Amino acid sequence: MTRVAAIDCGTNSIRLLVADADPATGGLTDLDRRMTIVRLGQGVDRTGRLAPEALERTFAACREYAEVIKGHGAERLRFVATSASRDAENRDDFVRGVLDILGVEPEVISGRREAEFSFTGATRELAGRDDLDRPYLVVDIGGGSTEFVVGDDHVRAARSVDVGCVRLTERHLVHDGVVTDPPTGAQVAAMRADIEAALDLAGRTVPLREARTLVGLAGSVTTVSAIAQELPEYDSAAIHHSRVSHDRVREITDRLLRSTHAERAAVPSMHPGRVDVIAAGALVLLSVMERTGAQEVVVSEHDILDGIAWSVAQGFRGAV
């Protein structure tokens, strides 16, 4: 067994996994899995830079995570940063801050590498199941980007496109610094147009309609599952490997797009950091299901974070 730590820093959230990995069985035993909404990508689509306050929120989470990693005695750490960090002119400020706090330099990875980590994390434990047809289409709906990966045992094709719940919200739903509540028909149509263009782009590389099972990852998808199940609070065990039908996703998306901030915030399973961006994220999921013809989505709580952890267990030499 190898005790590893993995950090995934995205556009909306930063997440930590400390786990014991057993390469012989292919199992990860979670010791600590946590998430903090830091909105690192605040304003990046508009300014091209990471905002000072967004950096400080992220560094505060890193300081907390450093204590957790030390407390568990993890042997290796890998810190991966995705869409917002790729796009920012001042990403060196981010890299220096993380290095100072955690002693490891964050890797600002490509969309292709992000897709591969997501696929590994989501599908590794599906091996041997006879109730899910292959190939899989893994769709990771993040804050700044969405990754599309088709494969069975290995990745066959992958593409990252710049539509995510934070980017779409900031681009289309914010007026005078405030999210429109609820969005207008014109705003929803503009989001739809962006998503459809992104699906066209993804489809040039990834055979979206060849997949037999759609696997959905990340907070927008897991929150839709929680809403679909009418959970009294967010419950990872109930959400992991749940299935949500196309009709239910459409119903929930329509409801979120018609709701006010207060109504979304009142949903028992809604994380406060997702209230303003969940409608855009749900619309991405619905659009993917419409484009691919998927009648249901299999929801996974295991994703890029688990893929990063496995890369550490299989030989990546990261410091702690």
Side-chain angles (χ1 to χ4, degrees):
M1 299 286 281
T2 302
R3 183 157 295 181
V4 299
I7 294 177
D8 164 39
C9 186
T11 300
N12 195 43
S13 65
I14 183 170
R15 300 180 302 146
L16 168 68
L17 171 62
V18 181
D20 285 332
D22 185 350
T25 63
L28 280 176
T29 302
D30 289 12
L31 301 174
D32 201 306
R33 187 186 291 259
R34 59 182 65 194
M35 182 269 291
T36 309
I37 299 286
V38 294
R39 198 65 62 86
L40 178 62
Q42 171 192 331
V44 168
D45 190 61
R46 177 176 53 83
T47 67
R49 297 181 62 82
L50 298 168
E53 60 271 29
L55 283 169
E56 183 46 46
R57 290 193 298 267
T58 304
F59 295 154
C62 287
R63 287 188 281 270
E64 174 193 335
Y65 290 179
E67 291 301 315
V68 174
I69 293 166
K70 181 180 178 181
H72 283 292
E75 300 165 38
R76 305 177 200 162
L77 164 66
R78 190 171 195 175
F79 187 118
V80 166
T82 53
S83 177
S85 307
R86 280 198 299 268
D87 298 341
E89 295 172 3
N90 61 333
R91 71 182 189 181
D92 287 348
D93 296 339
F94 167 70
V95 171
R96 283 193 300 270
V98 171
L99 183 58
D100 287 345
I101 296 166
L102 288 162
V104 63
E105 185 170 313
E107 300 170 69
V108 182
I109 60 172
S110 68
R112 167 76 190 201
R113 193 74 179 105
E114 183 176 355
E116 290 171 350
F117 280 141
S118 295
F119 185 84
T120 299
T123 65
R124 188 180 182 94
E125 63 186 348
L126 300 180
R129 287 186 55 166
D130 57 9
D131 61 328
L132 298 176
D133 294 332
R134 301 184 185 191
Y136 308 113
L137 170 61
V138 173
V139 178
D140 186 346
I141 303 172
S145 64
T146 295
E147 282 64 54
F148 296 85
V149 198
V150 164
D152 28 59
D153 293 325
H154 302 285
V155 173
R156 284 173 30 192
R159 186 68 181 260
S160 177
V161 293
D162 285 340
V163 290
C165 59
V166 174
R167 192 184 298 268
L168 286 170
T169 299
E170 290 189 347
R171 186 178 292 173
H172 298 294
L173 304 186
V174 175
H175 181 68
D176 291 336
V178 178
V179 177
T180 305
D181 198 19
T184 66
Q187 287 174 316
V188 174
M191 280 200 299
R192 273 276 199 182
D194 260 11
I195 296 167
E196 293 300 327
L199 287 169
D200 290 342
L201 188 61
R204 296 175 191 171
T205 306
V206 179
L208 299 176
R209 287 189 171 273
E210 288 185 15
R212 304 298 301 275
T213 297
L214 173 64
V215 182
L217 315 183
S220 292
V221 180
T222 58
T223 300
V224 167
S225 172
I227 296 171
Q229 297 180 66
E230 300 181 352
L231 298 178
E233 60 185 9
Y234 193 93
D235 182 344
S236 294
I239 291 166
H240 189 47
H241 290 172
S242 61
R243 302 186 185 197
V244 186
S245 71
H246 171 266
D247 287 346
R248 193 79 169 106
V249 171
R250 183 179 61 236
E251 173 192 331
I252 291 167
T253 302
D254 288 346
R255 187 200 320 165
L256 291 170
L257 288 168
R258 293 194 308 268
S259 65
T260 64
H261 181 280
E263 289 168 339
R264 295 190 300 275
V267 174
S269 55
M270 183 76 67
H271 189 288
R274 299 203 186 280
V275 174
D276 286 336
V277 299
I278 184 59
L283 185 60
V284 175
L285 175 60
L286 177 62
S287 300
V288 170
M289 296 183 79
E290 291 175 347
R291 176 67 66 98
T292 61
Q295 292 305 299
E296 68 173 12
V297 57
V298 178
V299 180
S300 178
E301 282 275 353
H302 294 177
D303 49 28
I304 184 174
L305 194 58
D306 302 77
I308 297 165
W310 268 114
S311 75
V312 181
Q314 293 174 332
F316 175 84
R317 305 303 302 181
V320 293

PDB file of all heavy atoms in Angstrom, residues 248-282:
ATOM      1  N   ARG A 248     -35.504  13.335 -16.743  1.00  0.00           N
ATOM      2  CA  ARG A 248     -35.327  13.952 -15.422  1.00  0.00           C
ATOM      3  C   ARG A 248     -34.302  15.079 -15.485  1.00  0.00           C
ATOM      4  O   ARG A 248     -34.487  16.135 -14.853  1.00  0.00           O
ATOM      5  CB  ARG A 248     -34.870  12.877 -14.430  1.00  0.00           C
ATOM      6  CG  ARG A 248     -34.957  13.331 -12.979  1.00  0.00           C
ATOM      7  CD  ARG A 248     -36.375  13.253 -12.466  1.00  0.00           C
ATOM      8  NE  ARG A 248     -36.394  13.432 -11.007  1.00  0.00           N
ATOM      9  CZ  ARG A 248     -36.808  14.539 -10.397  1.00  0.00           C
ATOM     10  NH1 ARG A 248     -37.227  15.578 -11.106  1.00  0.00           N
ATOM     11  NH2 ARG A 248     -36.819  14.614  -9.088  1.00  0.00           N
ATOM     12  N   VAL A 249     -33.233  14.899 -16.255  1.00  0.00           N
ATOM     13  CA  VAL A 249     -32.242  15.966 -16.415  1.00  0.00           C
ATOM     14  C   VAL A 249     -32.881  17.182 -17.073  1.00  0.00           C
ATOM     15  O   VAL A 249     -32.646  18.324 -16.658  1.00  0.00           O
ATOM     16  CB  VAL A 249     -31.034  15.475 -17.240  1.00  0.00           C
ATOM     17  CG1 VAL A 249     -30.110  16.648 -17.604  1.00  0.00           C
ATOM     18  CG2 VAL A 249     -30.254  14.418 -16.464  1.00  0.00           C
ATOM     19  N   ARG A 250     -33.713  16.964 -18.090  1.00  0.00           N
ATOM     20  CA  ARG A 250     -34.388  18.083 -18.757  1.00  0.00           C
ATOM     21  C   ARG A 250     -35.320  18.809 -17.784  1.00  0.00           C
ATOM     22  O   ARG A 250     -35.335  20.046 -17.730  1.00  0.00           O
ATOM     23  CB  ARG A 250     -35.180  17.586 -19.960  1.00  0.00           C
ATOM     24  CG  ARG A 250     -35.852  18.738 -20.748  1.00  0.00           C
ATOM     25  CD  ARG A 250     -36.614  18.234 -21.953  1.00  0.00           C
ATOM     26  NE  ARG A 250     -37.679  17.345 -21.566  1.00  0.00           N
ATOM     27  CZ  ARG A 250     -37.816  16.094 -22.019  1.00  0.00           C
ATOM     28  NH1 ARG A 250     -36.937  15.590 -22.858  1.00  0.00           N
ATOM     29  NH2 ARG A 250     -38.827  15.344 -21.617  1.00  0.00           N
ATOM     30  N   GLU A 251     -36.060  18.061 -16.999  1.00  0.00           N
ATOM     31  CA  GLU A 251     -36.991  18.665 -16.038  1.00  0.00           C
ATOM     32  C   GLU A 251     -36.225  19.516 -15.010  1.00  0.00           C
ATOM     33  O   GLU A 251     -36.625  20.645 -14.701  1.00  0.00           O
ATOM     34  CB  GLU A 251     -37.759  17.550 -15.324  1.00  0.00           C
ATOM     35  CG  GLU A 251     -38.648  18.006 -14.191  1.00  0.00           C
ATOM     36  CD  GLU A 251     -39.146  16.831 -13.359  1.00  0.00           C
ATOM     37  OE1 GLU A 251     -39.293  15.722 -13.911  1.00  0.00           O
ATOM     38  OE2 GLU A 251     -39.364  17.024 -12.148  1.00  0.00           O
ATOM     39  N   ILE A 252     -35.131  18.993 -14.484  1.00  0.00           N
ATOM     40  CA  ILE A 252     -34.352  19.704 -13.473  1.00  0.00           C
ATOM     41  C   ILE A 252     -33.683  20.934 -14.076  1.00  0.00           C
ATOM     42  O   ILE A 252     -33.670  22.019 -13.473  1.00  0.00           O
ATOM     43  CB  ILE A 252     -33.308  18.763 -12.846  1.00  0.00           C
ATOM     44  CG1 ILE A 252     -34.010  17.709 -11.997  1.00  0.00           C
ATOM     45  CG2 ILE A 252     -32.283  19.543 -12.019  1.00  0.00           C
ATOM     46  CD1 ILE A 252     -33.116  16.550 -11.593  1.00  0.00           C
ATOM     47  N   THR A 253     -33.142  20.796 -15.284  1.00  0.00           N
ATOM     48  CA  THR A 253     -32.499  21.934 -15.946  1.00  0.00           C
ATOM     49  C   THR A 253     -33.497  23.054 -16.192  1.00  0.00           C
ATOM     50  O   THR A 253     -33.208  24.231 -15.921  1.00  0.00           O
ATOM     51  CB  THR A 253     -31.864  21.498 -17.277  1.00  0.00           C
ATOM     52  OG1 THR A 253     -30.919  20.454 -17.027  1.00  0.00           O
ATOM     53  CG2 THR A 253     -31.162  22.668 -17.956  1.00  0.00           C
ATOM     54  N   ASP A 254     -34.663  22.703 -16.683  1.00  0.00           N
ATOM     55  CA  ASP A 254     -35.700  23.714 -16.927  1.00  0.00           C
ATOM     56  C   ASP A 254     -36.076  24.430 -15.623  1.00  0.00           C
ATOM     57  O   ASP A 254     -36.252  25.652 -15.597  1.00  0.00           O
ATOM     58  CB  ASP A 254     -36.946  23.066 -17.540  1.00  0.00           C
ATOM     59  CG  ASP A 254     -36.740  22.632 -18.982  1.00  0.00           C
ATOM     60  OD1 ASP A 254     -35.733  23.062 -19.591  1.00  0.00           O
ATOM     61  OD2 ASP A 254     -37.565  21.850 -19.488  1.00  0.00           O
ATOM     62  N   ARG A 255     -36.178  23.669 -14.548  1.00  0.00           N
ATOM     63  CA  ARG A 255     -36.536  24.254 -13.258  1.00  0.00           C
ATOM     64  C   ARG A 255     -35.440  25.206 -12.768  1.00  0.00           C
ATOM     65  O   ARG A 255     -35.721  26.312 -12.286  1.00  0.00           O
ATOM     66  CB  ARG A 255     -36.765  23.162 -12.220  1.00  0.00           C
ATOM     67  CG  ARG A 255     -37.304  23.689 -10.889  1.00  0.00           C
ATOM     68  CD  ARG A 255     -37.096  22.736  -9.731  1.00  0.00           C
ATOM     69  NE  ARG A 255     -37.322  21.353 -10.072  1.00  0.00           N
ATOM     70  CZ  ARG A 255     -36.924  20.333  -9.298  1.00  0.00           C
ATOM     71  NH1 ARG A 255     -36.296  20.574  -8.152  1.00  0.00           N
ATOM     72  NH2 ARG A 255     -37.156  19.091  -9.651  1.00  0.00           N
ATOM     73  N   LEU A 256     -34.180  24.789 -12.902  1.00  0.00           N
ATOM     74  CA  LEU A 256     -33.067  25.630 -12.454  1.00  0.00           C
ATOM     75  C   LEU A 256     -32.980  26.916 -13.264  1.00  0.00           C
ATOM     76  O   LEU A 256     -32.679  27.986 -12.723  1.00  0.00           O
ATOM     77  CB  LEU A 256     -31.752  24.853 -12.554  1.00  0.00           C
ATOM     78  CG  LEU A 256     -31.576  23.698 -11.561  1.00  0.00           C
ATOM     79  CD1 LEU A 256     -30.359  22.862 -11.930  1.00  0.00           C
ATOM     80  CD2 LEU A 256     -31.461  24.212 -10.129  1.00  0.00           C
ATOM     81  N   LEU A 257     -33.241  26.833 -14.565  1.00  0.00           N
ATOM     82  CA  LEU A 257     -33.178  28.016 -15.419  1.00  0.00           C
ATOM     83  C   LEU A 257     -34.324  28.998 -15.148  1.00  0.00           C
ATOM     84  O   LEU A 257     -34.211  30.180 -15.456  1.00  0.00           O
ATOM     85  CB  LEU A 257     -33.190  27.599 -16.894  1.00  0.00           C
ATOM     86  CG  LEU A 257     -31.896  26.946 -17.402  1.00  0.00           C
ATOM     87  CD1 LEU A 257     -32.130  26.327 -18.776  1.00  0.00           C
ATOM     88  CD2 LEU A 257     -30.759  27.959 -17.459  1.00  0.00           C
ATOM     89  N   ARG A 258     -35.405  28.505 -14.549  1.00  0.00           N
ATOM     90  CA  ARG A 258     -36.538  29.373 -14.213  1.00  0.00           C
ATOM     91  C   ARG A 258     -36.482  29.898 -12.787  1.00  0.00           C
ATOM     92  O   ARG A 258     -37.266  30.761 -12.400  1.00  0.00           O
ATOM     93  CB  ARG A 258     -37.865  28.614 -14.394  1.00  0.00           C
ATOM     94  CG  ARG A 258     -38.219  28.247 -15.818  1.00  0.00           C
ATOM     95  CD  ARG A 258     -39.682  27.817 -15.907  1.00  0.00           C
ATOM     96  NE  ARG A 258     -40.011  26.776 -14.939  1.00  0.00           N
ATOM     97  CZ  ARG A 258     -39.943  25.470 -15.190  1.00  0.00           C
ATOM     98  NH1 ARG A 258     -39.540  25.055 -16.385  1.00  0.00           N
ATOM     99  NH2 ARG A 258     -40.273  24.582 -14.263  1.00  0.00           N
ATOM    100  N   SER A 259     -35.565  29.369 -11.983  1.00  0.00           N
ATOM    101  CA  SER A 259     -35.580  29.669 -10.553  1.00  0.00           C
ATOM    102  C   SER A 259     -34.761  30.902 -10.205  1.00  0.00           C
ATOM    103  O   SER A 259     -33.889  31.340 -10.961  1.00  0.00           O
ATOM    104  CB  SER A 259     -35.054  28.462  -9.772  1.00  0.00           C
ATOM    105  OG  SER A 259     -33.698  28.232 -10.095  1.00  0.00           O
ATOM    106  N   THR A 260     -35.036  31.439  -9.041  1.00  0.00           N
ATOM    107  CA  THR A 260     -34.273  32.571  -8.512  1.00  0.00           C
ATOM    108  C   THR A 260     -33.114  32.049  -7.657  1.00  0.00           C
ATOM    109  O   THR A 260     -33.051  30.863  -7.315  1.00  0.00           O
ATOM    110  CB  THR A 260     -35.165  33.457  -7.632  1.00  0.00           C
ATOM    111  OG1 THR A 260     -35.579  32.687  -6.483  1.00  0.00           O
ATOM    112  CG2 THR A 260     -36.393  33.939  -8.404  1.00  0.00           C
ATOM    113  N   HIS A 261     -32.226  32.956  -7.290  1.00  0.00           N
ATOM    114  CA  HIS A 261     -31.113  32.594  -6.425  1.00  0.00           C
ATOM    115  C   HIS A 261     -31.628  31.979  -5.121  1.00  0.00           C
ATOM    116  O   HIS A 261     -31.106  30.947  -4.649  1.00  0.00           O
ATOM    117  CB  HIS A 261     -30.266  33.839  -6.125  1.00  0.00           C
ATOM    118  CG  HIS A 261     -29.084  33.580  -5.257  1.00  0.00           C
ATOM    119  ND1 HIS A 261     -29.183  33.470  -3.880  1.00  0.00           N
ATOM    120  CD2 HIS A 261     -27.766  33.393  -5.553  1.00  0.00           C
ATOM    121  CE1 HIS A 261     -27.986  33.229  -3.378  1.00  0.00           C
ATOM    122  NE2 HIS A 261     -27.110  33.184  -4.361  1.00  0.00           N
ATOM    123  N   ALA A 262     -32.636  32.585  -4.549  1.00  0.00           N
ATOM    124  CA  ALA A 262     -33.173  32.096  -3.275  1.00  0.00           C
ATOM    125  C   ALA A 262     -33.754  30.693  -3.422  1.00  0.00           C
ATOM    126  O   ALA A 262     -33.588  29.840  -2.535  1.00  0.00           O
ATOM    127  CB  ALA A 262     -34.243  33.053  -2.745  1.00  0.00           C
ATOM    128  N   GLU A 263     -34.430  30.449  -4.526  1.00  0.00           N
ATOM    129  CA  GLU A 263     -35.023  29.128  -4.745  1.00  0.00           C
ATOM    130  C   GLU A 263     -33.941  28.065  -4.935  1.00  0.00           C
ATOM    131  O   GLU A 263     -34.056  26.950  -4.407  1.00  0.00           O
ATOM    132  CB  GLU A 263     -35.947  29.172  -5.957  1.00  0.00           C
ATOM    133  CG  GLU A 263     -37.227  29.952  -5.700  1.00  0.00           C
ATOM    134  CD  GLU A 263     -38.000  30.248  -6.966  1.00  0.00           C
ATOM    135  OE1 GLU A 263     -37.411  30.225  -8.078  1.00  0.00           O
ATOM    136  OE2 GLU A 263     -39.219  30.537  -6.857  1.00  0.00           O
ATOM    137  N   ARG A 264     -32.870  28.400  -5.677  1.00  0.00           N
ATOM    138  CA  ARG A 264     -31.782  27.425  -5.854  1.00  0.00           C
ATOM    139  C   ARG A 264     -31.056  27.191  -4.531  1.00  0.00           C
ATOM    140  O   ARG A 264     -30.685  26.067  -4.206  1.00  0.00           O
ATOM    141  CB  ARG A 264     -30.807  27.903  -6.928  1.00  0.00           C
ATOM    142  CG  ARG A 264     -31.408  27.978  -8.321  1.00  0.00           C
ATOM    143  CD  ARG A 264     -30.360  28.229  -9.386  1.00  0.00           C
ATOM    144  NE  ARG A 264     -29.626  29.478  -9.186  1.00  0.00           N
ATOM    145  CZ  ARG A 264     -30.026  30.668  -9.604  1.00  0.00           C
ATOM    146  NH1 ARG A 264     -31.190  30.790 -10.252  1.00  0.00           N
ATOM    147  NH2 ARG A 264     -29.296  31.751  -9.399  1.00  0.00           N
ATOM    148  N   ALA A 265     -30.838  28.267  -3.774  1.00  0.00           N
ATOM    149  CA  ALA A 265     -30.136  28.143  -2.497  1.00  0.00           C
ATOM    150  C   ALA A 265     -30.921  27.300  -1.498  1.00  0.00           C
ATOM    151  O   ALA A 265     -30.337  26.708  -0.582  1.00  0.00           O
ATOM    152  CB  ALA A 265     -29.873  29.529  -1.923  1.00  0.00           C
ATOM    153  N   ALA A 266     -32.225  27.245  -1.667  1.00  0.00           N
ATOM    154  CA  ALA A 266     -33.069  26.494  -0.736  1.00  0.00           C
ATOM    155  C   ALA A 266     -33.062  24.993  -1.004  1.00  0.00           C
ATOM    156  O   ALA A 266     -33.591  24.214  -0.203  1.00  0.00           O
ATOM    157  CB  ALA A 266     -34.505  27.017  -0.801  1.00  0.00           C
ATOM    158  N   VAL A 267     -32.471  24.563  -2.115  1.00  0.00           N
ATOM    159  CA  VAL A 267     -32.380  23.126  -2.407  1.00  0.00           C
ATOM    160  C   VAL A 267     -31.460  22.489  -1.364  1.00  0.00           C
ATOM    161  O   VAL A 267     -30.311  22.911  -1.203  1.00  0.00           O
ATOM    162  CB  VAL A 267     -31.826  22.886  -3.827  1.00  0.00           C
ATOM    163  CG1 VAL A 267     -31.605  21.402  -4.073  1.00  0.00           C
ATOM    164  CG2 VAL A 267     -32.776  23.472  -4.864  1.00  0.00           C
ATOM    165  N   PRO A 268     -31.930  21.482  -0.613  1.00  0.00           N
ATOM    166  CA  PRO A 268     -31.160  20.961   0.521  1.00  0.00           C
ATOM    167  C   PRO A 268     -29.766  20.445   0.159  1.00  0.00           C
ATOM    168  O   PRO A 268     -28.843  20.548   0.965  1.00  0.00           O
ATOM    169  CB  PRO A 268     -32.040  19.826   1.057  1.00  0.00           C
ATOM    170  CG  PRO A 268     -33.414  20.135   0.577  1.00  0.00           C
ATOM    171  CD  PRO A 268     -33.247  20.824  -0.737  1.00  0.00           C
ATOM    172  N   SER A 269     -29.596  19.902  -1.035  1.00  0.00           N
ATOM    173  CA  SER A 269     -28.321  19.296  -1.423  1.00  0.00           C
ATOM    174  C   SER A 269     -27.400  20.263  -2.161  1.00  0.00           C
ATOM    175  O   SER A 269     -26.323  19.870  -2.612  1.00  0.00           O
ATOM    176  CB  SER A 269     -28.579  18.078  -2.315  1.00  0.00           C
ATOM    177  OG  SER A 269     -29.378  18.444  -3.439  1.00  0.00           O
ATOM    178  N   MET A 270     -27.790  21.533  -2.260  1.00  0.00           N
ATOM    179  CA  MET A 270     -27.032  22.517  -3.048  1.00  0.00           C
ATOM    180  C   MET A 270     -25.895  23.113  -2.222  1.00  0.00           C
ATOM    181  O   MET A 270     -26.121  23.690  -1.162  1.00  0.00           O
ATOM    182  CB  MET A 270     -27.964  23.637  -3.518  1.00  0.00           C
ATOM    183  CG  MET A 270     -27.302  24.679  -4.414  1.00  0.00           C
ATOM    184  SD  MET A 270     -27.031  24.096  -6.094  1.00  0.00           S
ATOM    185  CE  MET A 270     -28.737  23.936  -6.643  1.00  0.00           C
ATOM    186  N   HIS A 271     -24.660  23.000  -2.741  1.00  0.00           N
ATOM    187  CA  HIS A 271     -23.536  23.675  -2.090  1.00  0.00           C
ATOM    188  C   HIS A 271     -23.664  25.171  -2.359  1.00  0.00           C
ATOM    189  O   HIS A 271     -23.957  25.580  -3.488  1.00  0.00           O
ATOM    190  CB  HIS A 271     -22.216  23.156  -2.652  1.00  0.00           C
ATOM    191  CG  HIS A 271     -21.010  23.622  -1.904  1.00  0.00           C
ATOM    192  ND1 HIS A 271     -20.551  24.926  -1.975  1.00  0.00           N
ATOM    193  CD2 HIS A 271     -20.170  22.971  -1.058  1.00  0.00           C
ATOM    194  CE1 HIS A 271     -19.482  25.050  -1.219  1.00  0.00           C
ATOM    195  NE2 HIS A 271     -19.223  23.883  -0.646  1.00  0.00           N
ATOM    196  N   PRO A 272     -23.444  26.018  -1.350  1.00  0.00           N
ATOM    197  CA  PRO A 272     -23.588  27.465  -1.566  1.00  0.00           C
ATOM    198  C   PRO A 272     -22.748  28.000  -2.723  1.00  0.00           C
ATOM    199  O   PRO A 272     -23.159  28.948  -3.398  1.00  0.00           O
ATOM    200  CB  PRO A 272     -23.127  28.060  -0.222  1.00  0.00           C
ATOM    201  CG  PRO A 272     -23.377  26.984   0.772  1.00  0.00           C
ATOM    202  CD  PRO A 272     -23.124  25.692   0.050  1.00  0.00           C
ATOM    203  N   GLY A 273     -21.593  27.400  -2.970  1.00  0.00           N
ATOM    204  CA  GLY A 273     -20.729  27.866  -4.050  1.00  0.00           C
ATOM    205  C   GLY A 273     -21.213  27.501  -5.438  1.00  0.00           C
ATOM    206  O   GLY A 273     -20.635  27.955  -6.427  1.00  0.00           O
ATOM    207  N   ARG A 274     -22.267  26.686  -5.524  1.00  0.00           N
ATOM    208  CA  ARG A 274     -22.792  26.284  -6.840  1.00  0.00           C
ATOM    209  C   ARG A 274     -24.108  26.980  -7.198  1.00  0.00           C
ATOM    210  O   ARG A 274     -24.618  26.801  -8.303  1.00  0.00           O
ATOM    211  CB  ARG A 274     -23.000  24.772  -6.883  1.00  0.00           C
ATOM    212  CG  ARG A 274     -21.723  23.985  -6.680  1.00  0.00           C
ATOM    213  CD  ARG A 274     -21.796  22.585  -7.249  1.00  0.00           C
ATOM    214  NE  ARG A 274     -20.602  21.840  -6.889  1.00  0.00           N
ATOM    215  CZ  ARG A 274     -19.442  21.940  -7.505  1.00  0.00           C
ATOM    216  NH1 ARG A 274     -19.323  22.764  -8.534  1.00  0.00           N
ATOM    217  NH2 ARG A 274     -18.400  21.235  -7.101  1.00  0.00           N
ATOM    218  N   VAL A 275     -24.646  27.745  -6.278  1.00  0.00           N
ATOM    219  CA  VAL A 275     -25.983  28.309  -6.485  1.00  0.00           C
ATOM    220  C   VAL A 275     -26.056  29.131  -7.766  1.00  0.00           C
ATOM    221  O   VAL A 275     -27.025  29.012  -8.545  1.00  0.00           O
ATOM    222  CB  VAL A 275     -26.390  29.171  -5.269  1.00  0.00           C
ATOM    223  CG1 VAL A 275     -27.710  29.890  -5.541  1.00  0.00           C
ATOM    224  CG2 VAL A 275     -26.510  28.308  -4.014  1.00  0.00           C
ATOM    225  N   ASP A 276     -25.052  29.958  -8.025  1.00  0.00           N
ATOM    226  CA  ASP A 276     -25.101  30.847  -9.187  1.00  0.00           C
ATOM    227  C   ASP A 276     -24.711  30.178 -10.495  1.00  0.00           C
ATOM    228  O   ASP A 276     -24.977  30.724 -11.565  1.00  0.00           O
ATOM    229  CB  ASP A 276     -24.185  32.059  -8.967  1.00  0.00           C
ATOM    230  CG  ASP A 276     -24.776  33.057  -7.981  1.00  0.00           C
ATOM    231  OD1 ASP A 276     -26.021  33.062  -7.822  1.00  0.00           O
ATOM    232  OD2 ASP A 276     -24.011  33.822  -7.378  1.00  0.00           O
ATOM    233  N   VAL A 277     -24.061  29.012 -10.419  1.00  0.00           N
ATOM    234  CA  VAL A 277     -23.532  28.407 -11.650  1.00  0.00           C
ATOM    235  C   VAL A 277     -24.184  27.079 -12.010  1.00  0.00           C
ATOM    236  O   VAL A 277     -23.910  26.531 -13.080  1.00  0.00           O
ATOM    237  CB  VAL A 277     -21.996  28.227 -11.551  1.00  0.00           C
ATOM    238  CG1 VAL A 277     -21.313  29.575 -11.366  1.00  0.00           C
ATOM    239  CG2 VAL A 277     -21.602  27.260 -10.442  1.00  0.00           C
ATOM    240  N   ILE A 278     -25.042  26.545 -11.169  1.00  0.00           N
ATOM    241  CA  ILE A 278     -25.596  25.216 -11.400  1.00  0.00           C
ATOM    242  C   ILE A 278     -26.492  25.176 -12.641  1.00  0.00           C
ATOM    243  O   ILE A 278     -26.531  24.166 -13.351  1.00  0.00           O
ATOM    244  CB  ILE A 278     -26.365  24.707 -10.157  1.00  0.00           C
ATOM    245  CG1 ILE A 278     -26.867  23.286 -10.366  1.00  0.00           C
ATOM    246  CG2 ILE A 278     -27.521  25.641  -9.807  1.00  0.00           C
ATOM    247  CD1 ILE A 278     -25.797  22.255 -10.646  1.00  0.00           C
ATOM    248  N   ALA A 279     -27.218  26.244 -12.920  1.00  0.00           N
ATOM    249  CA  ALA A 279     -28.111  26.221 -14.084  1.00  0.00           C
ATOM    250  C   ALA A 279     -27.307  26.056 -15.370  1.00  0.00           C
ATOM    251  O   ALA A 279     -27.683  25.276 -16.258  1.00  0.00           O
ATOM    252  CB  ALA A 279     -28.946  27.501 -14.136  1.00  0.00           C
ATOM    253  N   ALA A 280     -26.190  26.758 -15.480  1.00  0.00           N
ATOM    254  CA  ALA A 280     -25.340  26.627 -16.665  1.00  0.00           C
ATOM    255  C   ALA A 280     -24.756  25.227 -16.753  1.00  0.00           C
ATOM    256  O   ALA A 280     -24.697  24.622 -17.837  1.00  0.00           O
ATOM    257  CB  ALA A 280     -24.222  27.666 -16.627  1.00  0.00           C
ATOM    258  N   GLY A 281     -24.319  24.672 -15.622  1.00  0.00           N
ATOM    259  CA  GLY A 281     -23.761  23.329 -15.630  1.00  0.00           C
ATOM    260  C   GLY A 281     -24.781  22.283 -16.038  1.00  0.00           C
ATOM    261  O   GLY A 281     -24.483  21.361 -16.810  1.00  0.00           O
ATOM    262  N   ALA A 282     -26.005  22.412 -15.521  1.00  0.00           N
ATOM    263  CA  ALA A 282     -27.063  21.472 -15.887  1.00  0.00           C
ATOM    264  C   ALA A 282     -27.390  21.574 -17.373  1.00  0.00           C
ATOM    265  O   ALA A 282     -27.675  20.554 -18.032  1.00  0.00           O
ATOM    266  CB  ALA A 282     -28.307  21.739 -15.043  1.00  0.00           C
TER     267      ALA A 282
END
